[in-house]
Amino acid sequence: MSKAIPKVSSVTSKILGEAVTASFRKLDPRVQLRNPVMFAVYLGSIFTTVLLVNSWWMETGESSGFILGVTVWLWFTVLFANFAEAIAEGRGKAQADELRRSRSVAPAKKLCLPLNMNAAKRRSQEMLMKGELVIVPSSDLRSGDIVFVEAGDCIPGDGEVVEGIASVDESAITGESAPVVRESGGDRSAVTGGTKVISDWLIVRITTQPGESFLDHMIAMVEGAKRQRTPNEIALAILLAALTLLFLLVVVTLRPFSQFSVEVSGQGHVIGLTVLVALFVCLAPTTIGALLSAIGIAGMNRLSQTNVIAMSGRAVEAAGDVDVLLLDKTGTITLGNRQATRFIPAEGVSEQALAEAAHLASLADETPEGRSIAVLAKKRFGMRGRDLEQIKPHFVPFTARTRMSGVSLDGHAIYKGAAEAVESHVRNLGGFFPESVRIAVRQVAELGGTPLVVSRNEKVLGVIELKDIVKGGIKERFAELRQMGIKTVMITGDNPLTAAAIAAEAGVDDFLAEATPEAKLSLIRDYQKGGRLVAMTGDGTNDAPALAQADVAVAMNSGTQAAKEAGNMVDLDSNPTKLIEIVSVGKQLLMTRGALTTFSISNDVAKYFAILPAAFASTYPALKALDLMRLSSPSSAILSAVIFNALIIIALVPLALRGVKYRPVGAAQLLRSNLLIYGLGGLIVPFIGIKAIDLLLSAVGLAQNCT
C-alpha cells in the first residue's frame, strides 16, 4: 500500500544542497531575530568581524590570525544552526512538493439552483443544458457552495455529502487503494478534496474556504516552514534567552574586572574583546538553541510518517504528556467482527448435532459472524458447504423485529438468534426453554461474549458463543503504557457485565459501559478536573463534543466533518489504535528535546575548563590548575572550544532529526537514563573533543599564543 504522505526517510543530496543554500539565506537579521540565542551569536560574529578588519590597520593586542580563526568559526556556528533548521525543513518541503504535485485543480460543477434531487439523478450534461449547474474553477468555491460530482469526477473541495451515495477513491489522501462508500447522513458523509468518484453521484456542500482544505493542512504541516512553536518550546526558548542574557551580563563585566586586576596585581594582560566574545558564545546554550527548531520540525515530520495530520504542534506536544487514553472497544481493542468460538449443546443434544443445525441456519448468512459459524463447524467436524440447488432450502432473513434468522429444510425450521427471541419462538410452538441453556447463555454473557441460541422446530439445541476477539498484542501494548504511567480506559456500548469481561481480557485499567456522548464528555471533564491530560479517538458526529473537550483528539479520516473539525489531529488510515503511536511520537519529541537540553548544558562545563584558565591564568596563575586538559596555549584552548562548540551542532543534527529512541519506561527511570547518557556524556565528550582539536591545531602549527 502506498502512503498518503510521501515518506522522506533519508537526507538526499538535493535536500543537502538546498539546506546549504538556505543556511546563507537565513543570515537575514529578521530570520535570526526569531532565535534569541543564535541572534546573540550572530551579533558576536559581526562584532569579531569588525575587530578583524580593525586589526589589519592598528594594534589591538590580539593577533589577526587568532581573531580570524575565532570569527570564521563563529560564523560557522551560526551557519550550522541555520543548516540544522534548514535540513529539517527540507525533508518536510520534499514531502510537501510531492503533495502539491498530487493536487488536481479540477473544474467544479456548481449547482446554481436550489437542491433538486430529480435534477441530480440526470446526467450533468442535461443539467448544464438546462442551466441547473455551471462549470467553475475549484479555486473559486467558497464554504456553503453546492457541487455535483459523478463517476470520473474529482471532488473539488472538502465537504459534506448532502444527497446521494457513491464509491470514492481516496488513495491520493489515505494511500489505501480500495474505494470507500460515501453517502449522506451517518458517519461517512465527509469527503476530501482531490479524491475521485468511482461510481454513481453525490451532491456535496463545500465546508472550507480556499487555502484551508485538508490537503492544504497536510502541506503546511509537513513543510514545517509555517509551523507554530509549541507552548513548551516557547517556554524553553524564553529560558534559553534568559540564560543568554545572564551570560552576556557576566561577560560584559569581565573586561573592567580584568583591567582592575591587571593594574592591582601588576602582571598578566587585559582580556581581549575577541576572547570575551568566544567566552560568551561557549557559555551560552548555543547547542540546544541551534537545534531547538529542528527538533520541533522533525517531531512533526515523524508524526506525518504515521499518516496522521496534526492541526497544531500543541496537540503533538500534549500527546507526549497524556496520562489517560480513552479507547473505543470495537475496532480498537477488539477486531470488531464477532467470531464463533464454541458450540454449547443442550442436555441430550450432541455437539455435532448442534453444529450441523447452526451450519444450516448460517448458509445464507454473509455477515462475518455467520461465516465464522461455518468456519467453526468445518474446523470441529469437517462440515462442508451444501449444494443449495439440490436441497432447495427456504431462507428466513434476520430482521430487527424477529431478531432471528434461519432456514426451512425438509419440513424442519432451524433458527438461530437472541435467547429471548428463540425462547419466545419455541414456546409459541409448544416447546420449552431448558435451564441448562439459560445457564449457558448467562455464562457466555459474563465472559464478554454474545450468545446465539439454536432451535429445530420446537426444540432448543444449544448455544453458539460469539466473541469479540481482542486484538493480538494489544494487552502487551497496554502494559507498556502502564509502565509509562498512562491509564487506559475502554469505551463501549456493551452492558457492564460484558464490558468488564473484555476489559479484563484486554488488560485495560478501567472501562465505561453503556457509553453515551454525554457520558464520554462527563468522563473526560472528570479526569481533567483531577489534573489529567486526556486523549481519545472518534469518527462520528456524536463524538464531536468529547473530541472538542479532549486534550488530544484524533478524528478518523473516514468520519464526519463535525468529528474532523472537533479534533486536533486526523488519522488518514482511520485506525483507532493509531492513538498509541501518536502518544509514542509525542513522548519521543519531549524526550529528544530534554536529552539535547541536558547535553547542551552539560557540555558547557568542559568549555569553562578550557577558556577560563586561558583567559585569566596570566593574571591569576592559580587558575592554571583548572587546565585539566593541558591545552597547548591560551589561543589554542579558546579556538578549540569555539570549534568544538560549532562542530557539536552538526554532530547532533542526525539525532535531532531521528529523535531519541523511545522506550516505554517510567519517568524516574527515564530521568536516570537521561542524566547518565546525556548528562554524563555531555560532560565527557567535550573534554575529549576539545583536546583532540587542540592536538590537531598544534600539529598544523596553529596553536600560537594570542598575545
mmCIF file of all heavy atoms in Angstrom, residues 388-420:
data_model
loop_
_atom_site.group_PDB
_atom_site.id
_atom_site.type_symbol
_atom_site.label_atom_id
_atom_site.label_comp_id
_atom_site.label_asym_id
_atom_site.label_seq_id
_atom_site.Cartn_x
_atom_site.Cartn_y
_atom_site.Cartn_z
ATOM 1 N N LEU A 388 -27.019 -26.014 -2.655
ATOM 2 C CA LEU A 388 -28.312 -25.393 -2.400
ATOM 3 C C LEU A 388 -29.348 -25.764 -3.458
ATOM 4 O O LEU A 388 -30.548 -25.826 -3.169
ATOM 5 C CB LEU A 388 -28.156 -23.869 -2.312
ATOM 6 C CG LEU A 388 -27.215 -23.352 -1.210
ATOM 7 C CD1 LEU A 388 -27.203 -21.827 -1.190
ATOM 8 C CD2 LEU A 388 -27.634 -23.896 0.150
ATOM 9 N N GLU A 389 -28.898 -26.005 -4.705
ATOM 10 C CA GLU A 389 -29.825 -26.385 -5.764
ATOM 11 C C GLU A 389 -30.452 -27.738 -5.473
ATOM 12 O O GLU A 389 -31.607 -27.993 -5.823
ATOM 13 C CB GLU A 389 -29.091 -26.435 -7.112
ATOM 14 C CG GLU A 389 -28.684 -25.073 -7.645
ATOM 15 C CD GLU A 389 -29.899 -24.242 -8.030
ATOM 16 O OE1 GLU A 389 -30.926 -24.838 -8.441
ATOM 17 O OE2 GLU A 389 -29.837 -22.998 -7.895
ATOM 18 N N GLN A 390 -29.699 -28.598 -4.826
ATOM 19 C CA GLN A 390 -30.175 -29.944 -4.548
ATOM 20 C C GLN A 390 -31.105 -29.985 -3.337
ATOM 21 O O GLN A 390 -32.168 -30.612 -3.380
ATOM 22 C CB GLN A 390 -28.992 -30.886 -4.311
ATOM 23 C CG GLN A 390 -29.395 -32.334 -4.077
ATOM 24 C CD GLN A 390 -28.209 -33.246 -3.921
ATOM 25 O OE1 GLN A 390 -27.071 -32.864 -4.187
ATOM 26 N NE2 GLN A 390 -28.458 -34.455 -3.478
ATOM 27 N N ILE A 391 -30.727 -29.279 -2.260
ATOM 28 C CA ILE A 391 -31.524 -29.369 -1.044
ATOM 29 C C ILE A 391 -32.696 -28.393 -1.032
ATOM 30 O O ILE A 391 -33.627 -28.535 -0.236
ATOM 31 C CB ILE A 391 -30.653 -29.140 0.206
ATOM 32 C CG1 ILE A 391 -30.022 -27.731 0.206
ATOM 33 C CG2 ILE A 391 -29.571 -30.210 0.295
ATOM 34 C CD1 ILE A 391 -29.204 -27.454 1.473
ATOM 35 N N LYS A 392 -32.655 -27.352 -1.928
ATOM 36 C CA LYS A 392 -33.721 -26.364 -2.082
ATOM 37 C C LYS A 392 -34.234 -25.805 -0.749
ATOM 38 O O LYS A 392 -35.383 -26.010 -0.363
ATOM 39 C CB LYS A 392 -34.886 -26.967 -2.874
ATOM 40 C CG LYS A 392 -34.534 -27.396 -4.277
ATOM 41 C CD LYS A 392 -35.762 -27.863 -5.047
ATOM 42 C CE LYS A 392 -35.476 -28.348 -6.424
ATOM 43 N NZ LYS A 392 -34.382 -27.796 -7.122
ATOM 44 N N PRO A 393 -33.392 -25.110 -0.035
ATOM 45 C CA PRO A 393 -33.821 -24.552 1.253
ATOM 46 C C PRO A 393 -34.598 -23.249 1.064
ATOM 47 O O PRO A 393 -34.502 -22.577 0.042
ATOM 48 C CB PRO A 393 -32.490 -24.271 1.951
ATOM 49 C CG PRO A 393 -31.558 -23.930 0.804
ATOM 50 C CD PRO A 393 -32.001 -24.782 -0.358
ATOM 51 N N HIS A 394 -35.373 -22.905 2.092
ATOM 52 C CA HIS A 394 -36.034 -21.598 2.123
ATOM 53 C C HIS A 394 -35.445 -20.804 3.286
ATOM 54 O O HIS A 394 -35.620 -21.157 4.458
ATOM 55 C CB HIS A 394 -37.543 -21.764 2.321
ATOM 56 C CG HIS A 394 -38.241 -20.453 2.549
ATOM 57 N ND1 HIS A 394 -38.357 -19.489 1.577
ATOM 58 C CD2 HIS A 394 -38.859 -19.940 3.664
ATOM 59 C CE1 HIS A 394 -38.994 -18.443 2.051
ATOM 60 N NE2 HIS A 394 -39.324 -18.691 3.325
ATOM 61 N N PHE A 395 -34.712 -19.766 2.955
ATOM 62 C CA PHE A 395 -34.020 -18.999 3.975
ATOM 63 C C PHE A 395 -34.922 -17.924 4.566
ATOM 64 O O PHE A 395 -35.699 -17.268 3.858
ATOM 65 C CB PHE A 395 -32.748 -18.362 3.400
ATOM 66 C CG PHE A 395 -31.717 -19.358 2.975
ATOM 67 C CD1 PHE A 395 -31.433 -19.572 1.628
ATOM 68 C CD2 PHE A 395 -31.045 -20.121 3.917
ATOM 69 C CE1 PHE A 395 -30.490 -20.495 1.237
ATOM 70 C CE2 PHE A 395 -30.094 -21.049 3.526
ATOM 71 C CZ PHE A 395 -29.814 -21.249 2.192
ATOM 72 N N VAL A 396 -34.779 -17.730 5.850
ATOM 73 C CA VAL A 396 -35.510 -16.697 6.569
ATOM 74 C C VAL A 396 -34.494 -15.644 7.020
ATOM 75 O O VAL A 396 -33.655 -15.928 7.877
ATOM 76 C CB VAL A 396 -36.251 -17.279 7.786
ATOM 77 C CG1 VAL A 396 -37.021 -16.176 8.511
ATOM 78 C CG2 VAL A 396 -37.180 -18.414 7.366
ATOM 79 N N PRO A 397 -34.540 -14.455 6.440
ATOM 80 C CA PRO A 397 -33.517 -13.441 6.784
ATOM 81 C C PRO A 397 -33.739 -12.866 8.173
ATOM 82 O O PRO A 397 -34.844 -12.904 8.729
ATOM 83 C CB PRO A 397 -33.713 -12.376 5.698
ATOM 84 C CG PRO A 397 -35.156 -12.497 5.304
ATOM 85 C CD PRO A 397 -35.499 -13.964 5.425
ATOM 86 N N PHE A 398 -32.671 -12.314 8.704
ATOM 87 C CA PHE A 398 -32.722 -11.665 10.006
ATOM 88 C C PHE A 398 -33.482 -10.349 9.888
ATOM 89 O O PHE A 398 -33.302 -9.597 8.934
ATOM 90 C CB PHE A 398 -31.305 -11.398 10.523
ATOM 91 C CG PHE A 398 -31.274 -10.638 11.821
ATOM 92 C CD1 PHE A 398 -31.340 -11.311 13.028
ATOM 93 C CD2 PHE A 398 -31.169 -9.250 11.845
ATOM 94 C CE1 PHE A 398 -31.320 -10.618 14.230
ATOM 95 C CE2 PHE A 398 -31.145 -8.550 13.048
ATOM 96 C CZ PHE A 398 -31.221 -9.241 14.244
ATOM 97 N N THR A 399 -34.323 -10.057 10.865
ATOM 98 C CA THR A 399 -34.987 -8.757 10.953
ATOM 99 C C THR A 399 -34.885 -8.247 12.377
ATOM 100 O O THR A 399 -34.730 -9.033 13.333
ATOM 101 C CB THR A 399 -36.475 -8.833 10.554
ATOM 102 O OG1 THR A 399 -37.183 -9.643 11.518
ATOM 103 C CG2 THR A 399 -36.638 -9.423 9.161
ATOM 104 N N ALA A 400 -34.941 -6.929 12.507
ATOM 105 C CA ALA A 400 -34.875 -6.335 13.838
ATOM 106 C C ALA A 400 -36.070 -6.730 14.692
ATOM 107 O O ALA A 400 -35.981 -6.760 15.921
ATOM 108 C CB ALA A 400 -34.791 -4.818 13.716
ATOM 109 N N ARG A 401 -37.186 -7.049 14.038
ATOM 110 C CA ARG A 401 -38.394 -7.413 14.777
ATOM 111 C C ARG A 401 -38.285 -8.817 15.346
ATOM 112 O O ARG A 401 -38.551 -9.044 16.525
ATOM 113 C CB ARG A 401 -39.619 -7.299 13.881
ATOM 114 C CG ARG A 401 -40.941 -7.537 14.606
ATOM 115 C CD ARG A 401 -42.115 -7.441 13.638
ATOM 116 N NE ARG A 401 -42.044 -8.443 12.591
ATOM 117 C CZ ARG A 401 -42.461 -9.712 12.759
ATOM 118 N NH1 ARG A 401 -42.965 -10.114 13.917
ATOM 119 N NH2 ARG A 401 -42.370 -10.565 11.741
ATOM 120 N N THR A 402 -37.876 -9.776 14.500
ATOM 121 C CA THR A 402 -37.804 -11.165 14.956
ATOM 122 C C THR A 402 -36.524 -11.463 15.713
ATOM 123 O O THR A 402 -36.483 -12.346 16.571
ATOM 124 C CB THR A 402 -37.894 -12.134 13.769
ATOM 125 O OG1 THR A 402 -36.762 -11.945 12.896
ATOM 126 C CG2 THR A 402 -39.206 -11.905 13.006
ATOM 127 N N ARG A 403 -35.408 -10.751 15.379
ATOM 128 C CA ARG A 403 -34.086 -10.971 15.960
ATOM 129 C C ARG A 403 -33.607 -12.405 15.767
ATOM 130 O O ARG A 403 -32.863 -12.944 16.581
ATOM 131 C CB ARG A 403 -34.077 -10.573 17.431
ATOM 132 C CG ARG A 403 -34.419 -9.108 17.685
ATOM 133 C CD ARG A 403 -34.638 -8.834 19.162
ATOM 134 N NE ARG A 403 -33.407 -9.025 19.895
ATOM 135 C CZ ARG A 403 -33.351 -9.198 21.221
ATOM 136 N NH1 ARG A 403 -34.466 -9.243 21.912
ATOM 137 N NH2 ARG A 403 -32.200 -9.381 21.848
ATOM 138 N N MET A 404 -34.054 -13.025 14.669
ATOM 139 C CA MET A 404 -33.654 -14.392 14.330
ATOM 140 C C MET A 404 -33.444 -14.496 12.823
ATOM 141 O O MET A 404 -33.940 -13.682 12.051
ATOM 142 C CB MET A 404 -34.710 -15.413 14.764
ATOM 143 C CG MET A 404 -35.016 -15.495 16.227
ATOM 144 S SD MET A 404 -36.122 -16.918 16.594
ATOM 145 C CE MET A 404 -37.533 -16.539 15.532
ATOM 146 N N SER A 405 -32.692 -15.507 12.423
ATOM 147 C CA SER A 405 -32.577 -15.881 11.017
ATOM 148 C C SER A 405 -32.471 -17.393 10.978
ATOM 149 O O SER A 405 -32.157 -18.040 11.988
ATOM 150 C CB SER A 405 -31.354 -15.232 10.354
ATOM 151 O OG SER A 405 -30.144 -15.692 10.933
ATOM 152 N N GLY A 406 -32.738 -17.973 9.794
ATOM 153 C CA GLY A 406 -32.664 -19.422 9.730
ATOM 154 C C GLY A 406 -33.031 -19.977 8.371
ATOM 155 O O GLY A 406 -32.921 -19.278 7.349
ATOM 156 N N VAL A 407 -33.468 -21.231 8.378
ATOM 157 C CA VAL A 407 -33.754 -21.911 7.130
ATOM 158 C C VAL A 407 -34.861 -22.941 7.360
ATOM 159 O O VAL A 407 -34.943 -23.574 8.423
ATOM 160 C CB VAL A 407 -32.476 -22.590 6.588
ATOM 161 C CG1 VAL A 407 -31.942 -23.638 7.590
ATOM 162 C CG2 VAL A 407 -32.706 -23.235 5.235
ATOM 163 N N SER A 408 -35.739 -23.096 6.370
ATOM 164 C CA SER A 408 -36.734 -24.175 6.367
ATOM 165 C C SER A 408 -36.251 -25.225 5.383
ATOM 166 O O SER A 408 -36.020 -24.938 4.203
ATOM 167 C CB SER A 408 -38.105 -23.646 5.954
ATOM 168 O OG SER A 408 -38.600 -22.722 6.915
ATOM 169 N N LEU A 409 -36.117 -26.476 5.864
ATOM 170 C CA LEU A 409 -35.498 -27.525 5.061
ATOM 171 C C LEU A 409 -36.101 -28.872 5.446
ATOM 172 O O LEU A 409 -36.091 -29.241 6.643
ATOM 173 C CB LEU A 409 -33.981 -27.528 5.280
ATOM 174 C CG LEU A 409 -33.154 -28.557 4.524
ATOM 175 C CD1 LEU A 409 -33.160 -28.238 3.032
ATOM 176 C CD2 LEU A 409 -31.726 -28.566 5.048
ATOM 177 N N ASP A 410 -36.618 -29.589 4.439
ATOM 178 C CA ASP A 410 -37.163 -30.945 4.676
ATOM 179 C C ASP A 410 -38.190 -30.965 5.800
ATOM 180 O O ASP A 410 -38.205 -31.884 6.644
ATOM 181 C CB ASP A 410 -36.042 -31.941 4.982
ATOM 182 C CG ASP A 410 -35.056 -32.101 3.831
ATOM 183 O OD1 ASP A 410 -35.476 -31.912 2.662
ATOM 184 O OD2 ASP A 410 -33.850 -32.352 4.103
ATOM 185 N N GLY A 411 -39.025 -29.960 5.851
ATOM 186 C CA GLY A 411 -40.068 -29.917 6.868
ATOM 187 C C GLY A 411 -39.607 -29.467 8.228
ATOM 188 O O GLY A 411 -40.391 -29.491 9.185
ATOM 189 N N HIS A 412 -38.352 -29.077 8.356
ATOM 190 C CA HIS A 412 -37.814 -28.596 9.624
ATOM 191 C C HIS A 412 -37.489 -27.111 9.515
ATOM 192 O O HIS A 412 -36.980 -26.637 8.489
ATOM 193 C CB HIS A 412 -36.551 -29.372 10.025
ATOM 194 C CG HIS A 412 -36.790 -30.822 10.255
ATOM 195 N ND1 HIS A 412 -37.407 -31.315 11.378
ATOM 196 C CD2 HIS A 412 -36.506 -31.913 9.481
ATOM 197 C CE1 HIS A 412 -37.487 -32.634 11.311
ATOM 198 N NE2 HIS A 412 -36.943 -33.035 10.158
ATOM 199 N N ALA A 413 -37.787 -26.408 10.580
ATOM 200 C CA ALA A 413 -37.453 -24.987 10.647
ATOM 201 C C ALA A 413 -36.325 -24.799 11.671
ATOM 202 O O ALA A 413 -36.520 -25.065 12.860
ATOM 203 C CB ALA A 413 -38.665 -24.152 11.031
ATOM 204 N N ILE A 414 -35.163 -24.399 11.171
ATOM 205 C CA ILE A 414 -33.984 -24.224 12.031
ATOM 206 C C ILE A 414 -33.692 -22.728 12.150
ATOM 207 O O ILE A 414 -33.534 -22.036 11.147
ATOM 208 C CB ILE A 414 -32.755 -24.959 11.455
ATOM 209 C CG1 ILE A 414 -33.081 -26.453 11.272
ATOM 210 C CG2 ILE A 414 -31.551 -24.779 12.377
ATOM 211 C CD1 ILE A 414 -31.993 -27.223 10.543
ATOM 212 N N TYR A 415 -33.631 -22.266 13.391
ATOM 213 C CA TYR A 415 -33.400 -20.836 13.635
ATOM 214 C C TYR A 415 -32.221 -20.636 14.587
ATOM 215 O O TYR A 415 -31.935 -21.489 15.444
ATOM 216 C CB TYR A 415 -34.647 -20.186 14.237
ATOM 217 C CG TYR A 415 -35.774 -19.982 13.255
ATOM 218 C CD1 TYR A 415 -36.784 -20.933 13.134
ATOM 219 C CD2 TYR A 415 -35.831 -18.849 12.459
ATOM 220 C CE1 TYR A 415 -37.819 -20.764 12.242
ATOM 221 C CE2 TYR A 415 -36.880 -18.668 11.566
ATOM 222 C CZ TYR A 415 -37.859 -19.610 11.453
ATOM 223 O OH TYR A 415 -38.891 -19.433 10.560
ATOM 224 N N LYS A 416 -31.570 -19.469 14.423
ATOM 225 C CA LYS A 416 -30.587 -19.026 15.410
ATOM 226 C C LYS A 416 -30.835 -17.534 15.663
ATOM 227 O O LYS A 416 -31.232 -16.789 14.758
ATOM 228 C CB LYS A 416 -29.148 -19.237 14.914
ATOM 229 C CG LYS A 416 -28.704 -18.361 13.764
ATOM 230 C CD LYS A 416 -27.248 -18.601 13.407
ATOM 231 C CE LYS A 416 -26.654 -17.580 12.460
ATOM 232 N NZ LYS A 416 -27.348 -17.201 11.309
ATOM 233 N N GLY A 417 -30.644 -17.135 16.917
ATOM 234 C CA GLY A 417 -30.871 -15.723 17.230
ATOM 235 C C GLY A 417 -30.717 -15.448 18.706
ATOM 236 O O GLY A 417 -30.171 -16.271 19.470
ATOM 237 N N ALA A 418 -31.183 -14.264 19.119
ATOM 238 C CA ALA A 418 -31.093 -13.871 20.517
ATOM 239 C C ALA A 418 -31.886 -14.827 21.394
ATOM 240 O O ALA A 418 -32.917 -15.370 20.977
ATOM 241 C CB ALA A 418 -31.603 -12.442 20.689
ATOM 242 N N ALA A 419 -31.400 -15.020 22.616
ATOM 243 C CA ALA A 419 -32.009 -16.011 23.506
ATOM 244 C C ALA A 419 -33.492 -15.721 23.732
ATOM 245 O O ALA A 419 -34.336 -16.640 23.677
ATOM 246 C CB ALA A 419 -31.264 -16.033 24.838
ATOM 247 N N GLU A 420 -33.842 -14.444 24.001
ATOM 248 C CA GLU A 420 -35.239 -14.095 24.264
ATOM 249 C C GLU A 420 -36.125 -14.379 23.059
ATOM 250 O O GLU A 420 -37.270 -14.867 23.195
ATOM 251 C CB GLU A 420 -35.352 -12.615 24.645
ATOM 252 C CG GLU A 420 -34.592 -12.219 25.907
ATOM 253 C CD GLU A 420 -33.126 -11.904 25.592
ATOM 254 O OE1 GLU A 420 -32.701 -12.082 24.421
ATOM 255 O OE2 GLU A 420 -32.395 -11.503 26.533
#
